[in-house]
Amino acid sequence: MLTLFRWLLRLTIALIVLAVLSAVLVWYFAVRSLPDYTASYSVTGITAPVEIVRSTENVPHIFGKTDADVFFALGLAHAQDRLFQMTLLRRAAQGRLAEVHGPRALPADDLIRRLGLQRAAQASLEVQDDDTLAALQAYADGVNQWIRIVNDGAMGRGAPEFFLFPDVITFWQPADSLAILKLMAAAGTDSAGEEILRARLALAWPERGMQIVDRAGIPAALPDYAGLFPGARLGAPERRLDPQADYDPLGFLRPEQALGGNAFGAEAQRTAAGAALLANDLHAGLTVPSLYYLARLELEGGGVIGATVPGMPLVLSGRNPTLSWALTPLDLDVADIAIEEVQPGNTDRYRGTQGWTEFQTRTEVIRVLDARPQTITLRETQNGPVVPGLDPGLRDVTPIGHVPSLRWTGLSQRDRTMSALMALMRAGDADQATRALADVVAPALDVTLAQGETVTRLAAGAAPQRADDHPTKGALPSPGWLTETAWQGTVSLATQARRPQDGLALATEEPEADGLRHDRLSGLLGGREVHSRDSFIAAQLDVVSPAARALLPLVGANLWFTGDPAAPGTPERQRQDALTLLAEWDGAMNEHLPEPLIYAAWMGALQDRLVRDELGPLADDLIRLQPHFIDAVFRDRDGAAAWCDVVQSAATEDCATIARQSLDRAILDLTAEYGPDVTSWRWGDAHQAHHVHPGLGALPALGWIMNITQSISGGEFTVARTGMIGTGDDPYQAIGGAGYRSVIDLADPDSSVFITSTGQSGHPLSRHYDDLAGLWRRGEYIGMSLDPDLARAAAAGITTLTPAE
């Protein structure tokens, strides 16, 4: 027995030593990939020495002799801090995620291959102007130089994630940057998804289904979808991607989380300092690191500072010495679904405008980690690529014997958007910027410009031209064989910049006619005669929900303070306590309050109860609250109160009954999760910002280390927007928000402030991995200046690049 004990003790000690040695080894290789920001490198590809001056927040200020040298250094700096993120974005744009993520990434790869983003990017490379081509090549050279430095110096493959993924780091190509821009364009619009949802709702209840998503700009008289396609029948819905159960490796391209943003400006007559103010926040999925990266470039025409996206040599939002610019996605219908009839007995042909036509076909092979390669056949029609996997509900609206294809402006192979944005970055005034933006194709953008004392606003992008006799006006999928459904070309929108009449300009990605966030922001700006940088910050961080303010008095009109006081501890008393809290609430979605949680649960339960009996399983796909629909129901606009009656029941329910039942259901669910005391519930307990690492975030142990989770204020309709999952066991989890914010004061440009949602570095062992996350959550910012002396005075490290002899 003693001998056995001794051997067990020795074995235990050996296992402990082995575990310690393994941990030390892992730590050593991980630390090797941390860049030294004070190092000097001899590199090929630059004409003169370049300095990358790092601020205390790890923001690079890049100084070089030529623009090409500066873009080279930007590529190197991006690769130093975000190489894994860059390669993942490139794989996403190429449809090659399954090579490192396995079968779970196959649907994403299949769709991207069918869209052909990389092919369109490669073709568009030929139409870029000379300055842009030079910048793209110099940027790619800088990225590749860092890859060589990592390989030559055995610096941990450049990022610790590469040890866990069998990823061969291929050299960067100029077309890769264009492909990432195409990928962002795809994330910036949900035009096709909205068409599909309308068609599914029309099939579910032809008379009233589209009331749920009715909005300004949609034609009132649309044809009966079942009449357009007699074979279309709403069946069992496709299984949706559950963001909680099925990890999305694209990260910032989560379902229902398109890119968005706010931009607003004030002219000198509306500011305290007598110069223009400009604010911008860019919305994306909450990933770690953030999609955005702060940088300053000292170009030959002057300094440029603001938000970049690793993988592209662009400052997307920011300022130069004379001009500031802010971007939001434009509310423009840039995509249509065409339903193509396949020839009976011959699946290689479809019905075109001139009769039966051969599909253009090709095959591609998708390599899959730990699985057999998948060969897919890609088909294309005169309308665009065939995309059966574009949306989980697309099968519902595609009749048997038909296939869906996609018309989208982003598929253009002569897309000069990169050149346009490069020219915007260098523009000296609003007129130059307007001329430059005429070349934007996709994404379509709402651009706000500030110069001196003035603010201007313009739309940029390619707008599809639809025939006057188009049967669905682009609001529903349409027959692909009809000549009247074909686009009659596109037209550039950036023809004229306009100044605001009242000195205030604002834009969101919502339609202005029924955008609740737009209306709230308009009220905040218009409520003050004079603005300052601080008032712009306050507006940008506003967490009051206009949806809550509009819906609660309406939905609860017959419930406030009714009935006798109930005994403590009863469901009736809980309802009374909840209503008392909501009656005194100002609509602020504050993480420390119970009212936002009660409101969100109540409205969610109410919407589900209104539509469940009519739509059945399709109700599961309505994961976002539709405030305009609920408003129409309780005001009985166009007979919408009919939704309150439960068709399966013998009785006729009214809206007050449905409102009370929904509140009881919400309280019951919240009690099970947070206990019976209504006043102890907190919005922040349910509304957690979940910044997911796109490579390791799904792994149980590493995900706990790599992901960043923090309670946060705000909601879907607040100016400080936080998009929620809306389904599953954790529906209030925030998975989208402002990945970047800025407020630029042209009276004192060096006092302008910026922030991203996590940190500059993508390395989990770097102190800059999450050092900005706390500031972002608290609504704080960092300063960034174009003054070279200020940058050098506060330098935390200077990387020097010298030309190799």
Side-chain angles (χ1 to χ4, degrees):
M1 183 63 70
L2 182 60
T3 302
L4 177 61
F5 175 78
R6 288 173 177 172
W7 277 106
L8 288 176
L9 180 61
R10 291 168 184 170
L11 181 60
T12 302
I13 294 173
L15 290 174
I16 293 173
V17 171
L18 182 61
V20 171
L21 290 176
S22 299
V24 170
L25 192 64
V26 169
W27 176 85
Y28 172 76
F29 282 114
V31 167
R32 289 284 296 168
S33 58
L34 277 171
D36 180 1
Y37 297 130
T38 63
S40 297
Y41 301 103
S42 177
V43 301
T44 57
I46 59 175
T47 61
V50 180
E51 287 186 329
I52 306 175
V53 179
R54 300 276 182 166
S55 72
T56 54
E57 296 87 8
N58 197 30
V59 177
H61 295 246
I62 301 175
F63 301 93
K65 182 179 180 181
T66 67
D67 286 358
D69 290 351
V70 171
F71 287 121
F72 178 98
L74 177 64
L76 188 144
H78 275 167
Q80 277 185 310
D81 289 325
R82 303 283 189 90
L83 184 59
F84 180 76
Q85 182 189 41
M86 292 170 65
T87 59
L88 203 62
L89 286 171
R90 178 172 63 178
R91 283 188 175 277
Q94 293 174 342
R96 296 177 54 226
L97 283 169
E99 294 177 13
V100 295
H101 285 285
R104 64 181 179 175
L106 264 175
D109 281 357
D110 181 271
L111 174 59
I112 293 298
R113 296 289 184 98
R114 295 180 190 279
L115 292 176
L117 298 189
Q118 184 70 22
R119 293 191 304 276
Q122 189 66 51
S124 295
L125 190 63
E126 299 177 2
V127 301
Q128 308 304 315
D129 60 41
D130 291 340
D131 288 341
T132 301
L133 287 173
L136 289 169
Q137 186 61 59
Y139 180 85
D141 291 342
V143 176
N144 297 334
Q145 183 64 63
W146 180 249
I147 294 173
R148 292 190 185 95
I149 291 172
V150 167
N151 290 336
D152 293 343
M155 298 171 61
R157 302 197 69 199
E161 294 94 333
F162 289 121
F163 287 108
L164 300 176
F165 291 93
D167 193 0
V168 176
I169 308 173
T170 57
F171 284 139
W172 201 264
Q173 302 297 326
D176 296 338
S177 297
L178 296 182
I180 291 175
L181 184 58
K182 292 276 189 187
L183 187 67
M184 292 186 65
T189 176
D190 195 29
S191 298
E194 290 176 353
E195 280 188 31
I196 295 164
L197 180 57
R198 289 189 205 103
R200 297 177 73 198
L201 292 170
L203 288 173
W205 192 1
E207 294 80 12
R208 298 194 180 276
M210 281 193 289
Q211 283 182 328
I212 297 175
V213 292
D214 185 28
R215 68 169 197 169
I218 302 302
L222 288 174
D224 176 28
Y225 190 78
L228 278 177
F229 304 102
R233 295 290 184 270
L234 190 66
E238 291 284 292
R239 186 182 70 90
R240 292 193 61 88
L241 179 68
D242 182 352
Q244 292 180 309
D246 301 310
Y247 173 65
D248 173 18
L250 298 186
F252 69 96
L253 294 181
R254 292 179 182 275
E256 312 298 334
Q257 283 298 146
L259 299 178
N262 304 318
F264 49 100
E267 294 196 319
Q269 69 268 25
R270 299 296 300 269
T271 67
L277 282 165
L278 184 65
N280 194 195
D281 40 302
L282 298 175
H283 300 158
L286 295 179
T287 61
V288 54
S290 167
L291 176 63
Y292 303 105
Y293 178 93
L294 302 175
R296 176 266 181 85
L297 314 177
E298 189 65 30
L299 302 176
E300 294 175 55
V304 185
I305 199 164
T308 69
V309 172
M312 298 192 296
L314 280 176
V315 174
L316 282 178
S317 171
R319 72 178 185 94
N320 62 31
T322 58
L323 183 71
S324 301
W325 60 97
L327 309 179
T328 65
L330 182 66
D331 177 45
L332 181 68
D333 186 359
V334 296
D336 285 345
I337 298 293
I339 302 298
E340 314 280 8
E341 183 180 357
V342 179
Q343 182 176 359
N346 188 350
T347 58
D348 295 330
R349 293 161 66 89
Y350 69 99
R351 184 181 177 186
T353 55
Q354 304 299 319
W356 298 111
T357 308
E358 294 281 340
F359 285 105
Q360 297 180 31
T361 62
R362 65 184 183 280
T363 60
E364 291 190 9
V365 177
I366 302 177
R367 291 184 295 166
V368 185
L369 178 67
D370 298 330
R372 296 180 59 183
Q374 299 290 315
T375 300
I376 60 174
T377 299
L378 311 181
R379 297 191 291 178
E380 193 162 342
T381 73
Q382 61 192 10
N383 295 307
V386 176
V387 286
L390 180 66
D391 185 275
L394 188 50
R395 181 178 296 181
D396 286 347
V397 301
T398 306
I400 295 174
H402 295 69
V403 293
S405 66
L406 177 69
R407 301 184 186 100
W408 174 44
T409 57
L411 298 176
S412 169
Q413 297 194 353
R414 299 188 62 80
D415 186 348
R416 290 171 52 85
T417 302
M418 181 67 76
S419 292
L421 295 177
M422 292 287 292
L424 168 64
M425 185 173 67
R426 292 179 162 118
D429 56 40
D431 291 337
Q432 291 182 21
T434 301
R435 291 193 294 271
L437 291 169
D439 285 333
V440 171
V441 175
L445 299 170
D446 200 321
V447 184
T448 308
L449 307 169
Q451 175 188 359
E453 299 180 353
T454 63
V455 171
T456 55
R457 183 181 166 202
L458 70 153
Q465 299 299 289
R466 299 177 178 88
D468 292 337
D469 57 349
H470 191 298
T472 71
K473 303 297 186 291
L476 291 171
S478 57
W481 56 88
L482 299 180
T483 56
E484 56 266 32
T485 64
W487 286 357
Q488 300 176 332
T490 60
V491 62
S492 174
L493 295 175
T495 55
Q496 183 177 2
R498 59 193 185 280
R499 290 180 57 187
Q501 294 183 351
D502 59 356
L504 298 172
L506 65 141
T508 70
E509 81 284 357
E510 306 168 299
E512 289 188 14
D514 55 10
L516 291 171
R517 181 157 35 98
H518 183 279
D519 292 345
R520 172 65 182 174
L521 186 54
S522 178
L524 290 172
L525 297 179
R528 294 176 62 106
E529 188 65 30
V530 176
H531 282 278
S532 65
R533 187 194 70 171
D534 289 343
S535 73
F536 262 40
I537 290 174
Q540 195 171 57
L541 301 176
D542 182 74
V543 294
V544 172
S545 171
R549 285 190 166 188
L551 292 180
L552 284 176
L554 191 62
V555 174
N558 296 317
L559 302 180
W560 306 120
F561 310 111
T562 58
D564 297 327
T570 63
E572 291 76 14
R573 181 57 176 268
Q574 283 184 300
R575 184 200 311 147
Q576 291 175 354
D577 290 344
L579 287 169
T580 300
L581 289 171
L582 292 175
E584 300 173 357
W585 180 46
D586 64 355
M589 304 292 286
N590 188 304
E591 62 181 296
H592 304 295
L593 298 178
E595 291 91 338
L597 182 56
I598 301 169
Y599 153 75
W602 185 8
M603 293 302 107
L606 173 62
Q607 179 170 286
D608 185 75
R609 190 168 288 262
L610 287 173
V611 305
R612 175 69 60 178
D613 55 320
E614 288 87 1
L615 303 186
L618 178 54
D620 292 333
D621 286 2
L622 296 175
I623 63 176
R624 290 196 61 192
L625 186 69
Q626 304 290 333
H628 294 288
F629 165 64
I630 296 175
D631 182 87
V633 169
F634 279 80
R635 294 184 189 277
D636 196 19
R637 284 202 301 269
D638 299 323
W643 287 92
C644 290
D645 181 35
V646 179
V647 294
Q648 286 92 346
S649 69
T652 300
E653 290 82 8
D654 59 18
C655 292
T657 300
I658 294 297
R660 178 182 53 78
Q661 292 174 346
S662 302
L663 178 56
D664 290 345
R665 174 77 262 177
I667 291 174
L668 187 64
D669 292 342
L670 293 176
T671 298
E673 184 70 22
Y674 302 106
D677 185 359
V678 172
T679 60
S680 70
W681 299 342
R682 296 291 178 266
W683 177 232
D685 292 340
H687 192 55
Q688 302 269 326
H690 196 50
H691 309 258
V692 180
H693 188 281
L696 307 177
L699 303 178
L702 286 176
W704 181 81
I705 298 172
M706 305 291 285
N707 299 337
I708 301 173
T709 301
Q710 48 192 181
S711 62
I712 190 172
S713 300
E716 284 279 5
F717 303 99
T718 57
V719 176
R721 180 175 178 265
T722 54
M724 296 182 290
I725 288 180
T727 187
D729 296 330
D730 197 4
Y732 312 115
Q733 182 185 110
I735 58 172
Y740 160 81
R741 296 189 185 112
S742 67
V743 178
I744 297 172
D745 185 355
L746 295 188
D748 182 12
D750 287 338
S751 70
S752 302
V753 291
F754 307 80
I755 197 69
T756 61
S757 56
T758 56
Q760 289 284 92
S761 175
H763 198 297
L765 297 183
S766 170
R767 67 185 180 91
H768 300 296
Y769 183 71
D770 60 355
D771 58 335
L772 301 183
L775 300 177
W776 175 82
R777 173 187 174 274
R778 296 191 298 270
E780 300 177 16
Y781 300 76
I782 64 172
M784 294 200 301
S785 169
L786 285 177
D787 186 334
D789 294 333
L790 288 177
R792 296 180 190 278
I798 299 177
T799 303
T800 303
L801 309 179
T802 56
E805 297 181 357

